[in-house]
mmCIF file of all heavy atoms in Angstrom:
data_model
loop_
_atom_site.group_PDB
_atom_site.id
_atom_site.type_symbol
_atom_site.label_atom_id
_atom_site.label_comp_id
_atom_site.label_asym_id
_atom_site.label_seq_id
_atom_site.Cartn_x
_atom_site.Cartn_y
_atom_site.Cartn_z
ATOM 1 N N SER D 1 -8.931 -9.892 2.562
ATOM 2 C CA SER D 1 -8.636 -9.350 1.287
ATOM 3 C C SER D 1 -7.707 -8.130 1.426
ATOM 4 O O SER D 1 -7.607 -7.445 0.354
ATOM 5 C CB SER D 1 -10.001 -8.881 0.596
ATOM 6 O OG SER D 1 -10.529 -7.803 1.413
ATOM 7 N N PHE D 2 -7.102 -7.924 2.535
ATOM 8 C CA PHE D 2 -6.153 -6.887 2.616
ATOM 9 C C PHE D 2 -4.821 -7.234 1.992
ATOM 10 O O PHE D 2 -4.436 -8.349 1.840
ATOM 11 C CB PHE D 2 -5.956 -6.543 4.187
ATOM 12 C CG PHE D 2 -7.008 -5.671 4.743
ATOM 13 C CD1 PHE D 2 -8.183 -6.227 5.279
ATOM 14 C CD2 PHE D 2 -6.943 -4.304 4.724
ATOM 15 C CE1 PHE D 2 -9.216 -5.545 5.781
ATOM 16 C CE2 PHE D 2 -7.879 -3.507 5.347
ATOM 17 C CZ PHE D 2 -9.039 -4.120 5.772
ATOM 18 N N ASN D 3 -4.134 -6.190 1.587
ATOM 19 C CA ASN D 3 -2.820 -6.296 1.020
ATOM 20 C C ASN D 3 -1.709 -5.507 1.780
ATOM 21 O O ASN D 3 -2.139 -4.641 2.563
ATOM 22 C CB ASN D 3 -2.814 -5.755 -0.431
ATOM 23 C CG ASN D 3 -3.517 -6.657 -1.534
ATOM 24 O OD1 ASN D 3 -3.408 -6.316 -2.704
ATOM 25 N ND2 ASN D 3 -4.199 -7.696 -1.102
ATOM 26 N N ALA D 4 -0.518 -5.790 1.556
ATOM 27 C CA ALA D 4 0.621 -5.118 2.176
ATOM 28 C C ALA D 4 1.840 -5.352 1.376
ATOM 29 O O ALA D 4 2.065 -6.396 0.765
ATOM 30 C CB ALA D 4 0.782 -5.465 3.591
ATOM 31 N N VAL D 5 2.774 -4.353 1.402
ATOM 32 C CA VAL D 5 4.115 -4.480 0.834
ATOM 33 C C VAL D 5 5.124 -4.046 1.709
ATOM 34 O O VAL D 5 5.061 -2.982 2.363
ATOM 35 C CB VAL D 5 4.185 -3.644 -0.459
ATOM 36 C CG1 VAL D 5 5.543 -3.769 -1.071
ATOM 37 C CG2 VAL D 5 3.054 -4.002 -1.518
ATOM 38 N N PHE D 6 6.146 -4.888 1.929
ATOM 39 C CA PHE D 6 7.254 -4.635 2.941
ATOM 40 C C PHE D 6 8.480 -4.368 2.153
ATOM 41 O O PHE D 6 8.899 -5.141 1.332
ATOM 42 C CB PHE D 6 7.390 -5.871 3.810
ATOM 43 C CG PHE D 6 8.348 -5.749 4.792
ATOM 44 C CD1 PHE D 6 7.988 -5.147 6.072
ATOM 45 C CD2 PHE D 6 9.688 -6.226 4.733
ATOM 46 C CE1 PHE D 6 8.841 -5.092 7.188
ATOM 47 C CE2 PHE D 6 10.548 -6.193 5.770
ATOM 48 C CZ PHE D 6 10.114 -5.517 7.103
ATOM 49 N N LEU D 7 8.984 -3.074 2.230
ATOM 50 C CA LEU D 7 10.188 -2.619 1.474
ATOM 51 C C LEU D 7 11.362 -2.525 2.499
ATOM 52 O O LEU D 7 11.256 -2.209 3.578
ATOM 53 C CB LEU D 7 10.001 -1.191 0.909
ATOM 54 C CG LEU D 7 8.736 -1.097 -0.095
ATOM 55 C CD1 LEU D 7 8.469 0.403 -0.339
ATOM 56 C CD2 LEU D 7 8.912 -1.928 -1.420
ATOM 57 N N GLN D 8 12.593 -2.696 1.914
ATOM 58 C CA GLN D 8 13.825 -2.601 2.544
ATOM 59 C C GLN D 8 14.667 -1.542 1.682
ATOM 60 O O GLN D 8 15.154 -2.009 0.649
ATOM 61 C CB GLN D 8 14.530 -3.894 2.880
ATOM 62 C CG GLN D 8 13.763 -4.732 3.951
ATOM 63 C CD GLN D 8 14.409 -5.938 4.214
ATOM 64 O OE1 GLN D 8 15.029 -6.682 3.391
ATOM 65 N NE2 GLN D 8 14.541 -6.259 5.481
ATOM 66 N N GLY D 9 14.932 -0.397 2.195
ATOM 67 C CA GLY D 9 15.874 0.505 1.638
ATOM 68 C C GLY D 9 17.152 0.625 2.278
ATOM 69 O O GLY D 9 17.187 0.416 3.573
ATOM 70 N N ASP D 10 18.270 0.999 1.622
ATOM 71 C CA ASP D 10 19.470 1.016 2.290
ATOM 72 C C ASP D 10 19.607 2.049 3.373
ATOM 73 O O ASP D 10 20.443 2.028 4.299
ATOM 74 C CB ASP D 10 20.741 1.099 1.270
ATOM 75 C CG ASP D 10 20.638 2.358 0.494
ATOM 76 O OD1 ASP D 10 19.609 3.129 0.450
ATOM 77 O OD2 ASP D 10 21.699 2.675 -0.029
ATOM 78 N N SER D 11 18.841 3.122 3.093
ATOM 79 C CA SER D 11 18.908 4.261 4.073
ATOM 80 C C SER D 11 17.802 4.288 5.114
ATOM 81 O O SER D 11 17.979 4.444 6.332
ATOM 82 C CB SER D 11 18.927 5.646 3.291
ATOM 83 O OG SER D 11 19.982 5.769 2.515
ATOM 84 N N VAL D 12 16.663 4.070 4.599
ATOM 85 C CA VAL D 12 15.459 4.141 5.412
ATOM 86 C C VAL D 12 15.175 2.910 6.229
ATOM 87 O O VAL D 12 14.599 2.858 7.349
ATOM 88 C CB VAL D 12 14.108 4.581 4.604
ATOM 89 C CG1 VAL D 12 13.722 3.250 3.865
ATOM 90 C CG2 VAL D 12 12.996 4.939 5.548
ATOM 91 N N GLY D 13 15.726 1.809 5.840
ATOM 92 C CA GLY D 13 15.517 0.506 6.488
ATOM 93 C C GLY D 13 14.135 -0.113 6.035
ATOM 94 O O GLY D 13 13.864 -0.148 4.865
ATOM 95 N N ASP D 14 13.347 -0.578 7.109
ATOM 96 C CA ASP D 14 12.063 -1.268 6.694
ATOM 97 C C ASP D 14 10.900 -0.259 6.682
ATOM 98 O O ASP D 14 10.797 0.652 7.482
ATOM 99 C CB ASP D 14 11.752 -2.291 7.754
ATOM 100 C CG ASP D 14 12.824 -3.401 7.867
ATOM 101 O OD1 ASP D 14 13.563 -3.509 6.879
ATOM 102 O OD2 ASP D 14 12.863 -4.027 8.864
ATOM 103 N N VAL D 15 10.125 -0.416 5.484
ATOM 104 C CA VAL D 15 8.902 0.297 5.435
ATOM 105 C C VAL D 15 7.749 -0.653 4.950
ATOM 106 O O VAL D 15 7.983 -1.464 4.100
ATOM 107 C CB VAL D 15 9.087 1.442 4.275
ATOM 108 C CG1 VAL D 15 7.795 2.127 4.009
ATOM 109 C CG2 VAL D 15 10.088 2.410 4.674
ATOM 110 N N MET D 16 6.550 -0.445 5.537
ATOM 111 C CA MET D 16 5.545 -1.416 5.163
ATOM 112 C C MET D 16 4.234 -0.485 4.936
ATOM 113 O O MET D 16 3.929 0.310 5.680
ATOM 114 C CB MET D 16 5.222 -2.394 6.282
ATOM 115 C CG MET D 16 4.132 -3.400 5.890
ATOM 116 S SD MET D 16 4.105 -4.876 6.933
ATOM 117 C CE MET D 16 2.349 -4.915 7.244
ATOM 118 N N LEU D 17 3.580 -0.785 3.874
ATOM 119 C CA LEU D 17 2.344 -0.134 3.485
ATOM 120 C C LEU D 17 1.174 -1.161 3.450
ATOM 121 O O LEU D 17 1.440 -2.351 2.920
ATOM 122 C CB LEU D 17 2.390 0.491 2.093
ATOM 123 C CG LEU D 17 3.379 1.631 1.993
ATOM 124 C CD1 LEU D 17 4.767 1.285 1.636
ATOM 125 C CD2 LEU D 17 2.778 2.658 0.972
ATOM 126 N N TYR D 18 0.129 -0.815 4.002
ATOM 127 C CA TYR D 18 -0.930 -1.821 4.185
ATOM 128 C C TYR D 18 -2.316 -1.174 3.966
ATOM 129 O O TYR D 18 -2.577 0.059 4.262
ATOM 130 C CB TYR D 18 -0.905 -2.217 5.766
ATOM 131 C CG TYR D 18 -2.131 -3.005 6.198
ATOM 132 C CD1 TYR D 18 -2.259 -4.347 6.095
ATOM 133 C CD2 TYR D 18 -3.115 -2.197 6.941
ATOM 134 C CE1 TYR D 18 -3.372 -4.998 6.627
ATOM 135 C CE2 TYR D 18 -4.238 -2.952 7.405
ATOM 136 C CZ TYR D 18 -4.354 -4.385 7.289
ATOM 137 O OH TYR D 18 -5.368 -5.040 7.779
ATOM 138 N N GLY D 19 -3.261 -1.949 3.384
ATOM 139 C CA GLY D 19 -4.564 -1.430 3.169
ATOM 140 C C GLY D 19 -5.422 -2.308 2.195
ATOM 141 O O GLY D 19 -4.983 -3.452 1.908
ATOM 142 N N ARG D 20 -6.467 -1.897 1.751
ATOM 143 C CA ARG D 20 -7.350 -2.608 0.925
ATOM 144 C C ARG D 20 -6.746 -2.688 -0.539
ATOM 145 O O ARG D 20 -6.557 -1.715 -1.103
ATOM 146 C CB ARG D 20 -8.784 -2.080 0.860
ATOM 147 C CG ARG D 20 -9.430 -2.110 2.218
ATOM 148 C CD ARG D 20 -11.008 -1.942 2.071
ATOM 149 N NE ARG D 20 -11.561 -2.194 3.521
ATOM 150 C CZ ARG D 20 -11.936 -3.350 3.951
ATOM 151 N NH1 ARG D 20 -11.779 -4.434 3.273
ATOM 152 N NH2 ARG D 20 -12.484 -3.406 5.225
ATOM 153 N N GLY D 21 -6.651 -3.909 -0.987
ATOM 154 C CA GLY D 21 -6.025 -4.158 -2.257
ATOM 155 C C GLY D 21 -6.935 -4.094 -3.458
ATOM 156 O O GLY D 21 -6.516 -4.252 -4.562
ATOM 157 N N ALA D 22 -8.275 -3.949 -3.298
ATOM 158 C CA ALA D 22 -9.220 -3.965 -4.386
ATOM 159 C C ALA D 22 -10.509 -3.326 -3.947
ATOM 160 O O ALA D 22 -10.650 -2.906 -2.726
ATOM 161 C CB ALA D 22 -9.411 -5.417 -4.910
ATOM 162 N N GLY D 23 -11.443 -3.231 -4.802
ATOM 163 C CA GLY D 23 -12.740 -2.646 -4.508
ATOM 164 C C GLY D 23 -12.986 -1.270 -5.266
ATOM 165 O O GLY D 23 -12.067 -0.663 -5.708
ATOM 166 N N ALA D 24 -14.238 -0.966 -5.418
ATOM 167 C CA ALA D 24 -14.633 0.252 -6.108
ATOM 168 C C ALA D 24 -13.979 1.505 -5.550
ATOM 169 O O ALA D 24 -13.311 2.298 -6.264
ATOM 170 C CB ALA D 24 -16.153 0.351 -6.172
ATOM 171 N N LEU D 25 -14.142 1.725 -4.273
ATOM 172 C CA LEU D 25 -13.706 2.907 -3.669
ATOM 173 C C LEU D 25 -12.177 2.972 -3.425
ATOM 174 O O LEU D 25 -11.509 3.911 -3.630
ATOM 175 C CB LEU D 25 -14.463 3.331 -2.383
ATOM 176 C CG LEU D 25 -15.932 3.653 -2.738
ATOM 177 C CD1 LEU D 25 -16.664 3.930 -1.353
ATOM 178 C CD2 LEU D 25 -16.161 4.640 -3.693
ATOM 179 N N PRO D 26 -11.525 1.793 -2.945
ATOM 180 C CA PRO D 26 -10.123 1.892 -2.696
ATOM 181 C C PRO D 26 -9.375 2.022 -4.054
ATOM 182 O O PRO D 26 -8.435 2.851 -4.081
ATOM 183 C CB PRO D 26 -9.831 0.571 -2.081
ATOM 184 C CG PRO D 26 -11.062 0.212 -1.304
ATOM 185 C CD PRO D 26 -12.181 0.693 -2.215
ATOM 186 N N THR D 27 -9.804 1.365 -5.143
ATOM 187 C CA THR D 27 -9.079 1.491 -6.318
ATOM 188 C C THR D 27 -9.454 2.820 -6.955
ATOM 189 O O THR D 27 -8.643 3.576 -7.544
ATOM 190 C CB THR D 27 -9.519 0.385 -7.325
ATOM 191 O OG1 THR D 27 -9.349 -0.887 -6.662
ATOM 192 C CG2 THR D 27 -8.739 0.456 -8.613
ATOM 193 N N GLY D 28 -10.673 3.317 -6.810
ATOM 194 C CA GLY D 28 -11.082 4.668 -7.260
ATOM 195 C C GLY D 28 -10.288 5.747 -6.610
ATOM 196 O O GLY D 28 -9.892 6.768 -7.198
ATOM 197 N N SER D 29 -9.928 5.513 -5.272
ATOM 198 C CA SER D 29 -9.091 6.392 -4.505
ATOM 199 C C SER D 29 -7.732 6.627 -5.158
ATOM 200 O O SER D 29 -7.271 7.673 -5.389
ATOM 201 C CB SER D 29 -8.937 5.902 -3.160
ATOM 202 O OG SER D 29 -7.965 6.682 -2.507
ATOM 203 N N ALA D 30 -7.170 5.521 -5.628
ATOM 204 C CA ALA D 30 -5.828 5.540 -6.339
ATOM 205 C C ALA D 30 -5.968 6.223 -7.703
ATOM 206 O O ALA D 30 -5.099 6.974 -7.980
ATOM 207 C CB ALA D 30 -5.277 4.109 -6.461
ATOM 208 N N ILE D 31 -6.996 6.019 -8.406
ATOM 209 C CA ILE D 31 -7.198 6.694 -9.690
ATOM 210 C C ILE D 31 -7.310 8.219 -9.471
ATOM 211 O O ILE D 31 -6.779 8.968 -10.130
ATOM 212 C CB ILE D 31 -8.425 6.125 -10.387
ATOM 213 C CG1 ILE D 31 -8.126 4.605 -10.822
ATOM 214 C CG2 ILE D 31 -8.869 6.915 -11.604
ATOM 215 C CD1 ILE D 31 -9.419 3.892 -11.325
ATOM 216 N N VAL D 32 -8.144 8.557 -8.569
ATOM 217 C CA VAL D 32 -8.368 10.112 -8.362
ATOM 218 C C VAL D 32 -7.126 10.716 -7.925
ATOM 219 O O VAL D 32 -6.838 11.807 -8.215
ATOM 220 C CB VAL D 32 -9.612 10.226 -7.353
ATOM 221 C CG1 VAL D 32 -9.761 11.797 -7.164
ATOM 222 C CG2 VAL D 32 -10.870 9.678 -8.101
ATOM 223 N N SER D 33 -6.399 9.968 -7.028
ATOM 224 C CA SER D 33 -5.103 10.550 -6.606
ATOM 225 C C SER D 33 -4.133 10.861 -7.713
ATOM 226 O O SER D 33 -3.549 11.909 -7.832
ATOM 227 C CB SER D 33 -4.390 9.524 -5.741
ATOM 228 O OG SER D 33 -3.103 9.947 -5.396
ATOM 229 N N ASP D 34 -4.133 9.961 -8.742
ATOM 230 C CA ASP D 34 -3.366 10.162 -9.959
ATOM 231 C C ASP D 34 -3.834 11.372 -10.847
ATOM 232 O O ASP D 34 -3.116 12.134 -11.424
ATOM 233 C CB ASP D 34 -3.305 8.974 -10.858
ATOM 234 C CG ASP D 34 -2.206 7.981 -10.517
ATOM 235 O OD1 ASP D 34 -1.309 8.348 -9.761
ATOM 236 O OD2 ASP D 34 -2.264 6.838 -10.960
#
C-alpha cells in the first residue's frame, strides 16, 4: 500500500518521494503539518 512520486526538474534532476499513501496516522500527519 506504499506510494511514491518521481519528479524531474530542469535544475535538480530526479527527485523521488516515498511513503505510506493512506491510513489514520499518515494522513493525519499531513493534516497536522498543514
